[in-house]
């Protein structure tokens, strides 16, 4: 009758409203991370400088005093917060794409690990969501393993931003930090290194699966020095969430990018995603494309205090082969044709 029709219409309206609210929360959660990635460090520095010039200068002075006292904390494993890692906002972040973490093998808590994450993409969104939050269940899938996502050391010189990053278990990608975690922090540690770095980000584009790895051997040498097992990790879909203007080798644009990469540590990319209010307009929000991160089989690495170049090359070749096999095994499961080949540069 009429009553049941009205009730049905109200139920439809309720679920539609709930769906819209969830979508908006997903957009907000991703937007806050994009803004954090792009401007939070500079913005917090400017705000702190401004406060120093106001009547509230004592607050800024106290924070700066704390900053000096706490300066080396990022190099000693940081200061992670399970509360922050479990924020509900990260689950909305996960569902926006969505992002998924796939475990293929168990990891022993008596060992330490270096995860090689590929590809970099524009912002490493899969790396952040999977290993700096608990949104995809990394703690449940790898019980007893503490993940540390390594990123540019310069980020930890920025006030407020450094504390925000450390709360998620993010650490500087430098030798001091990695040495500390792998030698003075017990076992069960996993450092996630985005091996291709800034150079790889310059070539990421939808439909392309390529990694910068042939001459990236420093992470293998670190693994040998500490006897940390190497774990290949590939994120299917990482390159699909942004579109980028690719400058050819030898062009003025690529020259500028390489200069930035050499002197500052990152390469400026010209990219775009979707708009805030419509997926048909350009903006800073990534496209909602699925990202599936597959954690491969660990490669047992012996501890060699001073590994030779021959030893580094040997284990590096094993790692490259393992990554290619991982890609080939799972590519068809996550939307790629069987003919797709991983390009290793």
């Amino acid at each position: 009758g009429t009553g049941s029709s009205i009730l049905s219409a109200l139920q439809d309206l309720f679920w539609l409203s709930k769906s819209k609210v969830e979508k908006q929360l997903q957009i907000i959660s991703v937007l806050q991370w994009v803004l954090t990635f792009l401007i939070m460090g500079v913005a917090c520095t400017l705000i702190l400088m401004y406060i120093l010039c106001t009547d509230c200068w004592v607050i800024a002075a106290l924070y700066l005093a704390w900053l000096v006292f706490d300066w080396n904390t990022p190099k000693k494993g940081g200061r992670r917060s399970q509360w922050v890692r479990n924020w509900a906002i990260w689950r909305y972040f996960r569902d926006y794409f969505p992002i998924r973490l796939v475990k293929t093998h168990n990891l022993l808590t008596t060992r330490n690990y270096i995860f090689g994450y590929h590809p970099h993409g524009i912002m490493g969104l899969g790396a952040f969501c999977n290993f700096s939050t608990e949104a995809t269940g990394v703690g449940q899938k790898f019980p007893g393993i503490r993940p540390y996502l390594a990123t540019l050391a310069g980020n930890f010189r920025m006030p407020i931003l450094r504390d925000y990053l450390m709360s998620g278990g993010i650490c500087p990608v430098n030798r001091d930090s990695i040495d500390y975690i792998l030698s003075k922090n017990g076992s069960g540690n996993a450092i996630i290194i985005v091996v291709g770095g800034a150079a790889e980000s310059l070539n990421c584009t939808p439909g392309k699966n390529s990694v910068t790895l042939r001459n990236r051997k420093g992470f293998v040498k670190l693994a040998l020095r500490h006897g940390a097992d190497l774990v290949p990790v590939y994120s299917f879909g990482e390159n699909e969430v942004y579109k980028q203007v690719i400058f050819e080798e030898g062009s003025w644009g690529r020259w500028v990018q390489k200069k930035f990469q050499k002197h500052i540590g990152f390469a400026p990319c010209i990219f775009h995603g979707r708009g805030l209010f419509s997926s048909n307009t350009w903006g800073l929000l990534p496209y909602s494309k699925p990202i599936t991160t597959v954690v491969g089989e660990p490669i047992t690495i012996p501890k060699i205090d001073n590994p030779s170049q021959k030893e580094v090359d040997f284990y590096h070749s094993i790692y490259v082969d393992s990554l290619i096999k991982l890609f080939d095994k799972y590519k068809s499961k996550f939307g790629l044709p069987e003919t797709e080949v991983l390009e290793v540069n």
Side-chain angles (χ1 to χ4, degrees), residues 1 10 23 26 40 58 84 117 119 122 149 199 227-228 243 280 283 286 303 323 333:
L10 288 173
K23 187 61 179 177
Q26 291 169 12
M40 183 177 178
V58 174
V84 173
Y117 184 91
I122 295 292
L149 177 60
K243 295 178 181 178
N280 296 320
K303 189 177 186 303
L323 178 64
K333 294 181 180 179

Side-chain angles (χ1 to χ4, degrees), residues 201-205 208 244-248 254 257 270:
S201 68
L202 297 179
N203 295 314
C204 70
T205 187
K208 186 175 183 180
Q244 179 182 191
V245 176
I246 304 293
F247 293 101
E248 298 295 328
R254 182 53 63 99
Q257 289 176 323
I270 299 178

Side-chain angles (χ1 to χ4, degrees), residues 122-134:
I122 295 292
M123 297 184 185
L125 294 165
F128 168 77
C129 184
N130 285 307
F131 302 112
S132 294
T133 80
E134 292 296 330

Side-chain angles (χ1 to χ4, degrees), residues 98-100 102 117-119 126 209 233-241 289-295 323-336 340 342:
I99 296 174
R100 178 186 172 200
V102 176
Y117 184 91
H118 313 269
N209 288 282
V233 179
Y234 196 85
S235 257
F236 295 90
E238 185 73 61
N239 285 345
E240 307 299 316
V241 296
K289 304 287 186 178
I291 299 174
T292 305
T293 303
V294 184
V295 180
L323 178 64
I324 293 173
K325 289 177 182 177
L326 179 70
F327 178 85
D328 288 340
K329 182 177 180 180
Y330 288 93
K331 60 186 178 184
S332 62
K333 294 181 180 179
F334 303 119
L336 298 179
E340 185 72 18
L342 178 62

